[in-house]
Amino acid sequence: MTALTRTLRAWTREMPDWLLGLSYVVGAVALALVAHRVIVWVARRATRARPESTAAVFVERVRKLLRWLLIAIALAAVQPALDLTRGAATLWARLSALLVPGLMGWCAIVAIGTVIDVMMRRADISVEDNLRARRRRTRLGILRQIIVSLILLVTICTMLMTIPSVRSLGVTLAASAGLAGLAVGAAAQPALKNLIAGFQMIFTEPIRIDDVVIMDGEWGRIEEIRLTYVVVKIWDERRLVVPVSKFLEQSFQNWTRQSSALLGSVFWYLDPAVDVERLRGKLGEIVTGNPRWDKRFWNLQVTDTKPDGSIELRGLMTARDASTAFDLRCDVREALLAYIRAEMPEALLRRRVLVEGETAAVPDPERLPGR
């Protein structure tokens, strides 16, 4: 062993400095790659029984990033053994001090994203009663944005503090932090307002992912909730981007606040002489025979009389969600209008005029029986 050590020392003394340094770098990188292979192999063996678990997903996501992190650590560790000039050594140390915290922060972001993605996957919003799943997804989405923002802030601060010139500026900046804070706060008031509203969204929950809302007269679903804005997917595939603070300060309609089930209404304007009981029976046949009805409730009532002599009939029917309720209303409206046209033409509104002391009914061609 002693002879081998002496031989290696003699061999290294005879090598040029640049070749010796290169061998150190290559050896450190090779050692990092071997360590990476071993760590990944052990982690995969440990998670092989549960490939869908959080740990298994994290291993696959962080596998390539871990390789670069280990290489950066190995290069930072081998730097003292290299025969570098003072400037090159300083540059090497600065780059290592920037890369290692950056890669570690990246790993932390991947880890947080993996855990939250797995938790979101377990919250299935495709089921009929998805209120709890939508609530969970909303909270997890906002929580991920908050944690990622904090990790980025800490990572950037750590990287900047490794630069001596920036670190020395810290004392000067701290002395003027009060005035700078006031100036930045005044300039960024709208952004800070929405940022604070994003934090409030976690606890107050005025909206959740996939909620059906009416905002600014537009009907749509909540598609994304960010820290400062919300994306509403309008029914015609447009996107409405709304500041978060608007949902906390202004009134809006949330059709799925407690449940996705809704009560839909359809109105018809018919002649006062119409046989309402007969129409009520037909409406019952139409609603109960429609697969979009959720079998909870339906009804038909005369809700108003109009100055033009018509009466207002309102049909109520329930459905499991907003889009199904809209389709059900359209089906019922069309089916009852077809029945009136074919079986009850006397239900169409007529204008009554007095002719020689007698009342005559004149059909009104401009009046539609329903809307």
Side-chain angles (χ1 to χ4, degrees), residues 151-171:
I151 292 176
L152 285 174
L153 179 62
V154 172
T155 301
I156 293 174
C157 291
T158 303
M159 294 171 65
L160 292 177
M161 291 303 291
T162 60
I163 304 175
S165 58
V166 175
R167 189 165 57 244
S168 62
L169 283 175
V171 179

Side-chain angles (χ1 to χ4, degrees), residues 1 22 29 78 107 118 122 174 200 225 252 258 274 286 363:
M1 187 68 179
L22 181 62
V29 172
V78 81
C107 284
V118 172
R122 295 171 182 171
Q200 289 181 279
I225 300 179
F252 65 95
Q258 299 296 333
V274 65
I286 295 172

Side-chain angles (χ1 to χ4, degrees), residues 322-341:
S323 58
T324 305
F326 179 82
D327 293 335
L328 176 62
R329 292 166 56 206
C330 293
D331 292 346
V332 171
R333 184 184 294 110
E334 293 175 8
L336 197 63
L337 286 177
Y339 174 76
I340 292 173
R341 183 176 61 251

